Amino acid sequence: MSRPFNFSPGPAALPEEVLQQVREELPDWRGGGVSVMESGHREDDFRRCAHEAEADLRALMEIPGDYHVLFLHGGAQLQFAAVPMNLAAGQSLTADYVNSGHWAALAMAEARRYLTVNECATVADDGAVAMPEEGAWRRSDGAGYLHYTPNETISGLEFHRVPEAGDAPLVADMSSVILSRRFAVRRFGLIYAGAQKNIGPAGLAVVIVRRDLAERAAAGAGTVPRVMNYAAQAAAGSMVNTPPVFAWYVAGLVLRWLRGNGGVAAMEKQNAEKAAVLYNCIDNSGGFYRNRVAAEWRSRMNVTFTLAAPQLGETFLAEAAAAGLTGLRGHRAAGGMRASLYNALPPAGVLQLTEFMNHFRQTRG
Ligand SMILES: *Cc1c(COP(=O)(O)O)cnc(C)c1O
């Protein structure tokens, strides 16, 4: 079976080696005669599997010991609510939110149910999509935290620097950028990510939270559902209730694969090269393809582009699929095309895509 190169934004490509391993050990996992999906989460085998996944993530991201690592249900959007619920902990609180686009706006809308949101900066789109300079952000005094979205998956805008949060803990929705480049975890109070882009199957979210912030959650335990409570989940090893065992197991295989392939530093280098190849192709197309994000804000994970002749869009997608390139349709809110270049998408996929795009331009341009 020849598999296409999969540029899907999420759920996204998984390493082929991982899929093979899942297939091989599916019926008889770790010699127990049953699959991981049929194994008790409190049995030794699964506990070991869970522990290995956490240890690998800690090693890959160099997560300091005073941070909890949680594997939780509900994807990133449940964290849009869990973050303010836990960090406000029943008190009245103002939090600063950086509105960089679609996902940041949804995170803000959810947070408004639980605290006062100060939209301290807003993405600009006058010709090119870009964020205002950090010096111009309207931060509030004594904010409970500063929330931002390091990579906006839909528009393809990425922060290439971590903002200076000052006294406020920095909270980041890293769903589409975690493990794609190095981050100094110490700069953050809390990191969360839906798994289905760079970690594993959907249905799982990873939360990395500094202990003192998880304790804030403990103080507000009366108002936060137990499965969403960071302190309770930390105390229970992310097993307040039955965790998404299959997703957690596959995430563990992806993390092991990553460690065996040079870790985050190697991915960072490869991801920068992949993105540069594709942006070059777009920028050298004489306007046939166009990316609307200002150069210093371009995402290395999600490369968006439109065709000068939008009526060719469906033909582009059909011919791309025939050439073994799938998942290129842009988000329904944005239109156009989007190539997502997560860790599991190999450089050869980008080369094949740019060859296709050049050929398409030469025959239709
Ligand atoms: C995909 C994505 C989400 C949504 O994740 P769900 O797991 O579907 O809730 C949130 N934030 C960002 C940045 C994303 O890329």
Side-chain angles (χ1 to χ4, degrees), residues 316 319-320 323 325 352-361:
F316 178 92
E319 292 187 8
L325 306 159
Q352 191 160 318
L353 174 61
T354 53
E355 276 166 24
F356 167 77
M357 287 171 65
N358 288 332
H359 177 75
F360 188 85
R361 171 172 61 81

Side-chain angles (χ1 to χ4, degrees), residues 50 115 241 277 283 344:
L115 42 66
N241 66 332
V277 167
D283 292 343

Side-chain angles (χ1 to χ4, degrees), residues 9-10 74-78 80 103-104 149-154 173-177 192-197 202-205 302 342:
Q77 289 206 49
L78 194 69
F80 290 175
W103 291 115
T149 310
N151 186 66
E152 280 286 353
T153 320
I154 291 176
D173 172 5
M174 287 202 188
S175 295
S176 54
V177 76
Y192 64 93
Q196 68 272 26
K197 279 100 187 210
L204 178 74
N302 311 97
Y342 302 122

Side-chain angles (χ1 to χ4, degrees), residues 182-237:
R182 287 164 297 171
F183 285 100
V185 172
R186 193 50 87 202
R187 299 278 308 272
F188 298 85
L190 192 155
I191 292 167
Y192 64 93
Q196 68 272 26
K197 279 100 187 210
N198 246 346
I199 302 174
L204 178 74
V206 167
V207 175
I208 302 164
V209 55
R210 216 172 56 210
R211 278 172 200 272
D212 61 299
L213 293 177
E215 256 125 55
R216 268 203 219 170
T223 58
V224 184
R226 223 159 60 86
V227 293
M228 292 170 73
N229 185 291
Y230 298 141
Q233 284 287 16

Side-chain angles (χ1 to χ4, degrees), residues 46 51 153 180 207 365:
F46 191 77
H51 175 79
T153 320
S180 74
V207 175

